[in-house]
Amino acid sequence: MADFGASELDAFAREVRAELAAMYPPELKDGSARTDPEAVWGGRRFAGSDDPQVTWMKRVAAKGWTTPTWPKAYGGAGLSAAEARVVEKELAKYRPPLLAFGIWMLGPVLLEYANEEQKQEHLPKIVNGEIRWCQGYSEPGAGSDLAGLATRCEDKGDHWLINGSKIWTSYADKADWCFCLVRTDFSKKHEGISFVLIDMASPGVETRPIQLISGESPFCETFFTDVKIPKGNLVGRVNGGWEIAKRLLQYERQNISAGFGEGGSAGGASGDLASIAKTYGAAEDPDLRRRITENKMNFQALRQTIARSAAESRAGNGPSATTSIIKYAAAEFAKERSELMIEALGHQGLGWDGPGFETPEIMATRGWLRTKANSIEGGTSEVNLNVVAKRVLGLPDPK
């Protein structure tokens, strides 16, 4: 669809608004539905499910609106950037139809680097929420030094054989497939890495959830023992995975940062800080008031920067190294906000469970612990600062 003028975009918005209202399941609208919380992530386990959330996902996907700018040939809607913004704005009024690493990270790099057969195989399933993906990057001995990974991928003629392990693999225990970095050449560092796709149902794949200090277990250890994958599961060229890995990280950082942007919930998930400070009697502290105001101003500036960066990304060739600036700042402001939240709650900020603590207090405490991962996921803050130094500021490597 071609770009519209203002009046045509208004008409398109009215059309989208009416269609979404008609498509939205009444059970979700009136709150009577008991949906599986994992349904919003899709995947094999929901094939044939009558969960209202799955129904909602399928209806939106049928329009191509889970990936509005992707080509129609792969299940997207083929919309312009302006039209996609209209769809995304209207969808934001409802439950998310689909949350997916496939949409945020894998899909965009498949569009850039995959061959046509791989695109036809994987992209429509991503659009329709048929396959849930996880990311196999970090390893026990190669976290911040991602290029030091050692998971071995050997060419066995008619297949690849994979042995090794990954760590901090988000939702690996729930995922159907994994996009994974493996070593195909041990004589080189960055140039010896390849990018492969692994069916998590393959023999030899094992996952073990890791319990965090917050009490949650979203991350896993993932083990590959003599795992065979087809030769066609290699994306790009052999030993060319580092370029794909870096590109995917830009999309990941862009997505993490988007959660702090306009309409995102990450920056204010625990409620308004000023109101909480008043409720819990902390608002009389002038220093706390100053720091709350400063944090709110920082988040507003961050949201404006994210909006500008997103517009530049849509107008250009996708995200750039500036995503590292935004990701670093978002992580720091989020951690600071959670610290302020706990301080404003006073002794109620010690809430964990049981009588004497309200649900918001417990959520704030556990959320504060969870923000410690903000400066690690999507590349550590130290790695992102290095990217900014080299790719944005053009500073030389230290001697």
Side-chain angles (χ1 to χ4, degrees), residues 298-316:
N298 283 336
F299 260 118
Q300 187 57 39
L302 175 65
R303 287 178 175 127
Q304 295 298 322
T305 304
I306 290 171
R308 185 170 66 250
S309 176
E312 291 171 354
S313 175
R314 286 190 291 266

Side-chain angles (χ1 to χ4, degrees), residues 185-394:
D185 187 342
F186 277 81
S187 68
K188 302 174 183 178
K189 191 173 183 181
H190 297 79
E191 294 81 8
I193 294 171
S194 296
F195 189 97
V196 298
L197 309 177
I198 303 172
D199 188 335
M200 296 293 280
S202 303
V205 178
E206 179 188 359
T207 61
R208 301 176 191 168
I210 302 170
Q211 187 168 5
L212 307 183
I213 55 175
S214 64
E216 298 179 345
S217 300
F219 302 120
C220 293
E221 296 175 281
T222 306
F223 300 91
F224 304 104
T225 305
D226 290 336
V227 176
K228 297 179 181 180
I229 65 169
K231 298 298 287 289
N233 285 19
L234 171 77
V235 178
R237 59 182 177 83
V238 176
N239 298 330
W242 187 246
E243 178 185 350
I244 302 175
K246 291 191 297 181
R247 188 62 165 159
L248 188 143
L249 282 170
Q250 288 182 338
Y251 284 109
E252 180 179 9
R253 290 162 186 162
Q254 181 183 58
N255 176 68
I256 291 172
S257 301
F260 296 91
E262 196 66 38
S265 61
S270 301
D272 182 70
L273 269 176
S275 297
I276 289 170
K278 291 177 182 177
T279 300
Y280 288 86
E284 299 305 314
D285 183 342
D287 181 62
L288 180 61
R289 289 204 308 273
R290 177 189 62 79
R291 286 181 286 132
I292 289 175
T293 302
E294 188 176 84
N295 182 263
K296 188 170 184 177
M297 291 170 64
N298 283 336
F299 260 118
Q300 187 57 39
L302 175 65
R303 287 178 175 127
Q304 295 298 322
T305 304
I306 290 171
R308 185 170 66 250
S309 176
E312 291 171 354
S313 175
R314 286 190 291 266
N317 296 312
S320 67
T322 56
T323 55
S324 289
I325 300 175
I326 297 171
K327 196 276 173 178
Y328 172 80
E332 294 305 305
F333 295 155
K335 288 191 295 181
E336 178 186 70
R337 188 181 195 285
S338 289
E339 295 282 353
L340 290 168
M341 179 78 67
I342 296 299
E343 185 175 345
L345 288 171
H347 66 272
Q348 292 302 110
L350 299 173
W352 184 257
D353 204 355
F357 297 106
E358 300 293 331
T359 298
E361 297 165 354
I362 294 170
M363 289 178 62
T365 303
R366 297 190 182 215
W368 163 66
L369 292 170
R370 176 61 181 84
T371 61
K372 303 305 178 183
N374 291 161
S375 56
I376 300 173
E377 57 202 356
T380 66
S381 289
E382 292 78 9
V383 166
N384 278 295
L385 287 175
N386 281 338
V387 172
V388 173
K390 293 180 181 179
R391 307 298 181 192
V392 179
L393 300 178

